[in-house]
Amino acid sequence: MLCKQLVIITGPCWRCRKFMKLAVTHVVGTGDYNGPDEFSKEELNMARDHGVFIKKQYSQTSKEIYELLPIAFNQKQVVEASAVVAVLGDLENIRMAEKIYGQAVDAGFMPADTAKSMVEHYTGMYSSMPPEAIRQIAYTDGGLVSMQLMLVTRAKGYDTVPIGGYDKQKFMEAFRISERYIPIMLVAIGKAAKPGHPTVRLAVDDVAFFNEMPKE
Ligand SMILES: Cc1cc2nc3c(=O)[nH]c(=O)nc-3n(C[C@H](O)[C@H](O)[C@H](O)COP(=O)(O)O)c2cc1C
């Protein structure tokens, strides 16, 4: 028989950051948690009897999470995950070149004069590149970084959901992200509440071609 628990914890109010009592219901043995917006009348009363002050706008523990939910079209993953990482592309990535090549020199992987000429070469190349080309590079790199983040997370025993379905314009405004960066992907990270759904992949022959393109 399923047993439901009312769990009361103390956490910070998203608005004033003061600690307050928060309530969730939990079906024992599952990863299913519900906040007060899904409580039955009895559960609301029970939480109130235990000192939880329930008001809809106070039912989120963090301002960021509260803001992200509607921006991600109310996809619950963004509030249920332990963390959500926003992968951004840096349109001024060339500004990091000196630091990166400097590190390679310090680590003994590259002579200083090679690093200097690399930095000069790429700085010149980027300064004459059309903004759209730089943007495309940032998207390509951002996709690789997102996948890498998911693989590393999985290797550490956690699960991820890549989220491309969010309002990127609103996200940039809400989190006050400068125009230097472009949104690539949100990656929700945590322990899977239930196993992922079974899925299929196209056969190699459908997607890989040797020295020719497929006939239309
Ligand atoms: C570009 C891209 C965007 C995605 N956006 C979302 C999303 O907004 N919300 C979501 O729940 N999953 C999103 N996913 C994850 C997919 O729903 C799915 O879980 C994932 O691709 C693995 O399932 P599959 O093996 O059937 O493709 C996205 C995946 C990709 C590749």
Side-chain angles (χ1 to χ4, degrees):
M1 195 181 89
L2 288 180
C3 173
K4 208 175 186 187
Q5 277 182 337
L6 181 79
V7 182
I8 296 175
I9 56 162
T10 304
C13 164
W14 66 264
R15 191 190 291 264
C16 65
R17 312 306 295 173
K18 272 193 201 146
F19 275 71
M20 60 191 285
K21 280 187 176 178
L22 304 156
V24 287
T25 54
H26 174 221
V27 180
V28 178
T30 71
D32 293 342
Y33 286 89
N34 282 322
D37 51 335
E38 292 173 64
F39 280 13
S40 67
K41 210 165 162 227
E42 289 72 28
E43 288 162 351
L44 277 175
N45 288 339
M46 200 187 293
R48 286 201 175 105
D49 287 348
H50 285 81
V52 182
F53 175 60
I54 294 176
K55 241 181 130 184
K56 202 169 176 23
Q57 64 267 42
Y58 290 125
S59 65
Q60 301 293 336
T61 53
S62 128
K63 184 169 188 287
E64 287 73 25
I65 285 173
Y66 185 75
E67 282 184 346
L68 195 52
L69 188 61
I71 289 170
F73 308 125
N74 291 320
Q75 298 194 71
K76 275 182 146 187
Q77 304 84 297
V78 298
V79 287
E80 289 175 344
S82 301
V84 178
V85 175
V87 178
L88 304 173
D90 183 358
L91 297 175
E92 297 174 22
N93 55 7
I94 194 62
R95 284 167 58 174
M96 302 301 282
E98 210 162 327
K99 185 171 184 179
I100 293 167
Y101 284 107
Q103 275 181 221
V105 172
D106 292 347
F109 298 155
M110 191 182 275
D113 54 348
T114 308
K116 189 168 173 284
S117 72
M118 291 284 229
V119 172
E120 282 168 8
H121 170 74
Y122 283 114
T123 305
M125 197 172 107
Y126 269 72
S127 66
S128 60
M129 217 185 264
E132 188 46 35
I134 295 178
R135 190 171 279 268
Q136 284 303 330
I137 291 171
Y139 281 126
T140 305
D141 289 355
L144 290 169
V145 167
S146 302
M147 192 71 244
Q148 187 67 9
L149 174 64
M150 291 191 284
L151 292 172
V152 168
T153 305
R154 189 77 193 108
K156 299 251 176 215
Y158 296 95
D159 300 282
T160 59
V161 184
I163 300 177
Y166 63 105
D167 187 322
K168 300 187 175 64
Q169 184 62 40
K170 283 195 184 140
F171 170 78
M172 297 298 276
E173 286 160 14
F175 291 88
R176 293 171 295 285
I177 293 165
S178 93
E179 287 183 353
R180 173 173 170 176
Y181 302 98
I182 49 172
I184 307 283
M185 184 77 88
L186 300 177
V187 181
I189 298 176
K191 283 272 183 191
K194 49 187 178 220
H197 61 81
T199 184
V200 292
R201 289 291 179 266
L202 289 171
V204 167
D205 287 348
D206 288 330
V207 293
F209 307 96
F210 187 70
N211 277 347
E212 60 172 5
M213 286 306 289
K215 299 196 174 40
E216 297 283 320

